[in-house]
């Protein structure tokens, strides 16, 4: 399949599915899943939009919590995999920037490690915030901007100590990242870009956390504790 979106996802979809499997990678399985599910459990959410749902993993988790999700993703192969794993689910090939759901359609909008994949973040945010009902919740898991500003990730100093170096933090840019046969474009933006964007839409920040690992490979967990990798934010759309 040719990469019609120019972001590497079409060409990397098969490797992504093989790499994550049904369990997910370390970030999802041992850092984010538990606190993300804790933010939706027993909250009375009935409908949800999963922006950048990929192969539908978190949509299936939402279904297990009694929430009816719609998953959207621009990568057709990932949506096909989501439907294969969840034939009764609702999934659609769609870019967040082109979302056309009616206003006030969802109790919950989820962006689970997807904001870094969206080129026109301002347009996308306006679309999915419009689709959120007044009083509804926007739940985000994202790579920290310190992490996306990395230079070559972990390196070894002359003294034999591992270091994680960052640079050009305030410069918004697209970077290509590659691992396990996956090569995709991510967007680095300072945290203020995201915070300002949601504040400009009148959203109210209700929760912010930088979760630590729970379980998994101890060496990997140590790295996640040394460097700010991930955060969770919950925003509320004000009542009309």
């Amino acid at each position: 399949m040719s990469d019609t979106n120019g972001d590497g996802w079409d060409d990397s979809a098969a490797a992504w599915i093989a790499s994550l499997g049904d369990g997910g990678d370390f970030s999802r399985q041992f850092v984010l899943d538990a606190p993300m599910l804790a933010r939706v459990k027993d909250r009375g959410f009935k409908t949800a939009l999963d922006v950048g749902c990929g192969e539908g993993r978190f949509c299936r988790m939402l279904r297990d919590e009694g929430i009816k999700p719609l998953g959207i993703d621009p990568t057709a192969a990932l949506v096909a995999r989501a439907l294969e794993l969840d034939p009764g689910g609702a999934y659609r090939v769609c870019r967040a920037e082109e979302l056309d759901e009616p206003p006030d359609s969802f109790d919950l909008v989820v962006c689970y490690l997807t904001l870094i994949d969206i080129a026109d973040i301002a347009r996308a945010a306006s679309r999915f915030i419009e689709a959120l009902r007044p009083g509804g919740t926007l739940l985000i898991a994202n790579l920290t901007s310190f992490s996306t500003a990395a230079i070559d990730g972990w390196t070894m100093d002359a003294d034999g100590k591992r270091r994680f170096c960052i640079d050009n933090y305030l410069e918004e840019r697209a970077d290509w990242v590659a691992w396990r046969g996956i090569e995709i474009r991510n967007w680095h933006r300072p945290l203020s870009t995201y915070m300002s964007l949601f504040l400009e839409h009148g959203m109210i920040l209700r929760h912010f956390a930088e979760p630590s690992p729970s379980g998994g490979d101890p060496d990997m967990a140590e790295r996640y504790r040394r460097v700010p990798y991930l955060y969770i934010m919950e925003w509320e759309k004000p009542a009309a």
Side-chain angles (χ1 to χ4, degrees):
M1 178 185 295
S2 61
D3 198 282
T4 56
N5 294 315
D7 54 14
W9 275 104
D10 286 338
D11 293 339
S12 297
W16 176 265
I17 291 168
S19 178
L20 263 69
D22 292 338
D25 59 6
F26 186 92
S27 295
R28 291 166 173 79
Q29 190 172 358
F30 297 109
V31 185
L32 292 172
D33 281 351
M36 285 289 281
L37 287 171
R39 302 308 304 175
V40 304
K41 194 175 184 65
D42 299 326
R43 295 277 300 276
F45 299 127
K46 292 181 170 55
T47 58
L49 173 69
D50 187 350
V51 178
C53 66
E55 73 290 354
R57 183 173 174 274
F58 199 67
C59 281
R60 297 192 295 275
M61 292 181 177
L62 291 172
R63 287 266 297 273
D64 289 343
E65 296 297 329
I67 302 168
K68 183 179 179 181
L70 167 64
I72 64 166
D73 198 283
T75 307
L78 295 180
V79 172
R81 178 61 173 166
L83 288 167
E84 179 184 349
L85 294 172
D86 182 17
Y91 301 94
R92 182 151 57 90
V93 178
C94 176
R95 299 182 69 83
E97 300 94 320
E98 298 166 358
L99 182 69
D100 59 357
E101 290 296 306
D104 309 340
S105 294
F106 301 97
D107 302 323
L108 172 69
V109 172
V110 176
C111 300
Y112 194 140
L113 293 182
T114 55
L115 296 184
I116 57 171
D117 297 313
I118 299 173
D120 192 343
I121 190 64
R123 182 178 179 189
S126 68
R127 295 296 179 93
F128 59 67
I129 289 172
E130 183 180 24
L132 184 64
R133 69 165 176 80
T137 292
L138 169 63
L139 181 62
I140 293 167
N142 203 28
L143 289 174
T144 70
S145 299
F146 301 109
S147 177
T148 57
I151 306 170
D152 299 326
W154 288 94
T155 58
M156 193 73 73
D157 273 358
D159 59 6
K161 292 185 178 180
R162 284 184 176 272
R163 304 293 185 192
F164 192 89
C165 299
I166 71 170
D167 200 0
N168 296 319
Y169 175 83
L170 292 176
E171 174 195 337
E172 296 190 26
R173 61 186 183 274
D175 289 324
W176 286 85
V177 295
W179 75 102
R180 296 183 184 177
I182 301 163
E183 187 174 5
I184 55 175
R185 182 185 65 193
N186 281 173
W187 290 88
H188 164 71
R189 303 176 178 100
L191 179 60
S192 59
T193 296
Y194 296 113
M195 302 297 284
S196 298
L197 177 61
F198 298 129
L199 290 170
E200 286 167 6
H201 280 276
M203 302 289 284
I204 303 168
L205 183 64
R206 294 300 191 191
H207 177 76
F208 186 94
E210 295 174 294
S212 61
S214 178
D217 178 71
D219 290 338
M220 183 73 77
E222 180 189 7
R223 281 183 248 171
Y224 274 68
R225 291 189 177 96
R226 285 188 62 189
V227 170
Y229 269 109
L230 303 158
Y231 64 79
I232 292 173
M233 295 193 293
E234 182 180 311
W235 296 81
E236 179 184 327
K237 184 174 180 178

